[in-house]
């Protein structure tokens, strides 16, 4: 299961999930986040499973770029 593998990850983790996701329960994203090691970040977006990244496109792209900047440098 994914939760088993996330515990093995040794790099920064960004979990992105929408409370509106009708396929993957929001709680699953939160549990993955809790199981991940540090450093880790959680980004909550809006929209259903297939459109959330588009419905939240400004927040989505801004936060991914910020995350990458923090861990990869500018």
């Amino acid at each position: 299961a994914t939760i088993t593998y996330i515990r093995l990850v040794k790099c920064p983790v960004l979990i992105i999930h929408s409370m509106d996701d009708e396929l993957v329960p929001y709680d699953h994203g939160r549990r993955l986040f809790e199981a991940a090691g540090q450093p880790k970040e959680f980004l909550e977006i809006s929209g259903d499973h297939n459109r959330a990244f588009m419905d939240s496109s400004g927040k989505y792209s801004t936060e991914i770029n910020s995350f990458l900047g923090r861990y990869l440098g500018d």
Side-chain angles (χ1 to χ4, degrees):
T2 305
I3 202 157
T4 301
Y5 294 110
I6 196 118
R7 292 183 177 119
L8 303 174
V9 173
K10 303 294 184 208
C11 64
V13 172
L14 175 61
I15 303 287
I16 303 172
H17 206 87
S18 171
M19 289 190 76
D20 306 318
D21 190 324
E22 74 284 5
L23 294 179
V24 180
Y26 184 77
D27 183 56
H28 287 201
R30 293 302 307 179
R31 287 194 320 224
L32 281 177
F33 175 74
E34 295 303 323
Q38 293 290 345
K40 62 184 177 182
E41 297 181 26
F42 190 91
L43 173 59
E44 183 178 313
I45 58 175
S46 301
D48 68 23
H49 185 79
N50 292 313
R51 292 198 45 92
F53 75 97
M54 291 182 285
D55 292 348
S56 301
S57 63
K59 181 178 185 179
Y60 185 85
S61 59
T62 298
E63 293 302 321
I64 288 175
N65 287 330
S66 294
F67 178 83
L68 293 173
R70 280 190 289 284
Y71 297 105
L72 297 178
D74 292 322

